[in-house]
Amino acid sequence: MSDKYIIAREFSDRVFGEDDIMYRDYERCTFTNCDFTQCDFLAVAFIDCIFISCNFTEAKINYVSLRDVLFTSCNFTGVNFAMVDALLFKFEFKDCILDYSKFYTLKMRGTQFTNCSIIAVDFMNADITDAVFDNCDLHKSVFSDTIANKTDFTTSYNFIIDPEKNKLKKAKFSQAGLKGLLTKYDIVVK
């Protein structure tokens, strides 16, 4: 690819090399069954893009802009999101694998996670205010100094969140989820 600004293109079944996407802006593009595991995302912007069944496992996504991006059935195992461009950044995950990823210190207000595996993910010092975790497995995910005000956890499961170490004002939990809030007290909930 030689273009620096790519608009309204579709990419399918493509393996992207280390510097195939560096220093490029993609707007209104769709990526289907693409492999980004070897990419260096240096100075890359995705605006109004859709990713379907793409593999980002352990990809280095430093200095990438994600503006109104939808990820569906993508694999982000081991990806560190902590260095993404925080300016105008908004994305949504549906049916994705985010296991062992890091969202440390990110401001992710209103982010939607639907039917995702979010196992052992780092949300320390993140702001997930108004986020929705809809039917997500949060087993061993770390919430510490996390701002989760008005966050919806009602249909998610396997989480442990210490209300004394996180901000949870008006956060939503189901009755079954109360166990994850009381774990440190060694209380039996029936």
Side-chain angles (χ1 to χ4, degrees):
M1 284 188 233
S2 60
D3 297 333
K4 296 295 181 191
Y5 185 76
I6 298 104
I7 188 164
R9 290 210 17 219
E10 293 190 17
F11 301 90
S12 294
D13 303 308
R14 179 149 180 199
V15 176
F16 288 87
E18 184 177 359
D19 49 358
D20 284 349
I21 64 170
M22 285 175 139
Y23 308 111
R24 290 182 175 81
D25 292 343
Y26 296 88
E27 186 169 352
R28 296 190 324 268
C29 292
T30 301
F31 300 85
T32 306
N33 292 318
C34 293
D35 186 327
F36 295 96
T37 57
Q38 299 303 313
C39 287
D40 187 343
F41 285 83
L42 186 62
V44 179
F46 295 104
I47 304 154
D48 296 319
C49 290
I50 297 171
F51 294 84
I52 303 164
S53 299
C54 293
N55 187 5
F56 292 87
T57 301
E58 296 184 359
K60 296 170 189 73
I61 62 167
N62 298 333
Y63 313 111
V64 63
S65 295
L66 301 168
R67 299 178 191 146
D68 291 314
V69 175
L70 172 62
F71 297 103
T72 301
S73 300
C74 295
N75 187 341
F76 290 94
T77 300
V79 171
N80 184 354
F81 288 89
M83 294 295 292
V84 297
D85 181 2
L87 182 65
L88 301 172
F89 119 114
K90 182 180 176 193
F91 46 75
E92 180 178 346
F93 299 99
K94 289 184 179 178
D95 304 310
C96 291
I97 299 170
L98 295 153
D99 301 347
Y100 310 103
S101 293
K102 293 172 179 58
F103 292 102
Y104 178 78
T105 70
L106 284 180
K107 290 184 184 351
M108 304 170 52
R109 293 173 167 249
T111 300
Q112 303 277 320
F113 298 89
T114 306
N115 298 320
C116 293
S117 179
I118 307 175
I119 295 172
V121 171
D122 181 354
F123 288 103
M124 289 191 308
N125 295 99
D127 183 350
I128 55 172
T129 298
D130 286 317
V132 175
F133 291 88
D134 182 16
N135 194 39
C136 296
D137 185 354
L138 292 159
H139 182 66
K140 293 192 176 183
S141 285
V142 178
F143 295 90
S144 180
D145 294 320
T146 304
I147 302 170
N149 296 327
K150 300 181 187 175
T151 299
D152 189 343
F153 294 99
T154 53
T155 59
S156 288
Y157 50 96
N158 291 334
F159 57 83
I160 295 175
I161 301 173
D162 185 344
E164 294 176 17
K165 294 183 179 179
N166 296 282
K167 294 181 181 176
L168 299 171
K169 188 173 185 178
K170 297 194 181 195
K172 298 172 193 89
F173 299 91
S174 68
Q175 245 182 337
L178 292 178
K179 183 175 108 180
L181 297 172
L182 302 171
T183 301
K184 82 175 214 171
Y185 301 110
D186 201 21
I187 296 173
V188 178
V189 179
K190 292 186 179 190

